[in-house]
Amino acid sequence: MARSAKRFAGETPIGRKRRARKMARELAETHPDAHCELDFTTPLELAVATILSAQTTDVRVNEVTPRVFKRYVTPADYAAADRGEMEEVLRPTGFFRAKTDSLIKLGQALVDRYDSELPSKLDDLVSLPGIGRKTANVILGNAFDVPGITVDTHFRRLTNRFGWVHEEDPVKIEFQVADLIEKRDWTMLSHRVIFHGRRVCHARKPACGACTLAPMCPSYGTGPTDAAGSAKLLKGPRARELAVHAGVDPSLVPAAAIVTPEAP
């Protein structure tokens, strides 16, 4: 890892931008299936699903939201919701009391201030209960097709490992990455980095030896670099395809890795 980091020690700002964009293109090749994994049909539904996704998995949220969306359709429905009933519906997502409070207040704010329509501007969205910059950027990019960078735990970890940033503050990371990557790519970059974090570049032990970004990554060597050890760490439905992309024998990927649920 030290040798890899040393290669990039004297990197200029323009060099970092070129490398970041090259890595972004490689991520597009590696994760063509990257997308928003929350199920929704309207901007309001995405806002609700994103609020519910805090401290739980997208899979769990998608199990709960069909019942939520059937019972609560409009902002007025959320504003007038019975707190006890909503808490029971949301209980499987965890922190259900706080989430219930956010959704009721969100509905009230939309009715009172935005004529029951979810706004499509960042400043308006972050003024609403339960919606911070991360949630707002998810909504903008996926419901309104307005480019946005979503800085979740995966994005923060990977952009630091990539040497794109040396920062823990999500807002600073958002602005620094925005300066590296073309605006039109912000939304999809967020999805691809998150997919890479879930499937390859894990928090405790990244699959460095089975990563297509290895030649461009200053953190190469944080995890195992041998093919066999790295292949066992790949996760998700495309684990064997990821191995092929990295030039690793796909038969080294255990079958369990393909069906194991991805981390949140």
Side-chain angles (χ1 to χ4, degrees):
M1 178 181 173
R3 290 196 301 272
S4 184
K6 191 174 181 180
R7 289 175 49 213
F8 302 96
E11 187 175 53
T12 64
I14 189 64
R16 182 179 299 110
K17 179 174 287 190
R18 288 171 177 167
R19 181 171 62 87
R21 292 188 177 187
K22 186 176 181 180
M23 293 177 80
R25 290 193 294 271
E26 185 60 46
L27 284 169
E29 292 288 330
T30 304
H31 303 287
D33 59 330
H35 61 281
C36 177
E37 296 190 285
L38 292 170
D39 295 336
F40 69 98
T41 59
T42 67
L44 177 60
E45 287 185 356
L46 180 57
V48 170
T50 308
I51 290 171
L52 296 182
S53 69
Q55 303 299 313
T56 190
T57 65
D58 291 347
V59 172
R60 178 58 56 86
V61 173
N62 290 338
E63 291 172 349
V64 172
T65 49
R67 187 178 174 192
V68 176
F69 297 158
K70 183 177 180 180
R71 183 174 295 192
Y72 311 104
V73 179
T74 67
D77 293 333
Y78 287 96
D82 179 272
R83 185 174 296 272
E85 289 183 7
M86 181 176 282
E87 286 181 355
E88 283 305 306
V89 175
L90 302 186
R91 184 181 292 272
T93 69
F95 299 94
F96 57 92
R97 292 188 180 88
K99 292 176 181 180
T100 294
D101 193 58
S102 292
L103 294 188
I104 290 174
K105 289 180 177 178
L106 173 64
Q108 292 170 344
L110 291 176
V111 170
D112 294 342
R113 293 159 44 197
Y114 292 100
D115 197 26
S116 293
E117 291 289 334
L118 193 73
S120 58
K121 293 183 179 179
L122 180 66
D123 289 345
D124 292 330
L125 285 169
V126 297
S127 75
L128 294 168
I131 298 182
R133 286 189 71 91
K134 184 180 82 170
T135 300
N137 278 317
V138 171
I139 297 166
L140 289 173
N142 297 283
F144 293 113
D145 201 26
V146 176
I149 294 174
T150 303
V151 183
D152 74 343
T153 55
H154 296 290
F155 197 93
R156 182 174 66 248
R157 180 178 76 252
L158 268 63
T159 52
N160 273 278
R161 278 184 177 168
F162 294 166
W164 293 4
V165 303
H166 300 284
E167 182 61 65
E168 293 299 318
D169 180 81
V171 177
K172 292 180 179 178
I173 292 172
E174 178 187 337
F175 281 103
Q176 289 178 26
V177 174
D179 188 53
L180 295 174
I181 304 298
E182 291 181 291
K183 186 174 182 178
R184 66 173 184 245
D185 297 326
W186 289 353
T187 299
M188 286 309 302
L189 173 75
S190 300
H191 294 317
R192 291 163 185 156
V193 169
I194 290 168
F195 267 51
H196 199 69
R198 288 176 173 171
R199 299 178 173 189
V200 182
C201 195
H202 312 297
R204 294 185 180 178
K205 191 183 288 187
C208 290
C211 178
T212 57
L213 302 178
M216 298 172 278
C217 182
S219 297
Y220 175 74
T222 302
T225 59
D226 64 292
S230 299
K232 292 177 182 178
L233 297 173
L234 296 175
K235 303 294 182 190
R238 295 184 60 254
R240 288 181 175 155
E241 292 176 61
L242 294 175
V244 172
H245 270 285
V248 172
D249 183 353
S251 68
L252 294 173
V253 178
I258 300 171
V259 298
T260 300
E262 296 173 72

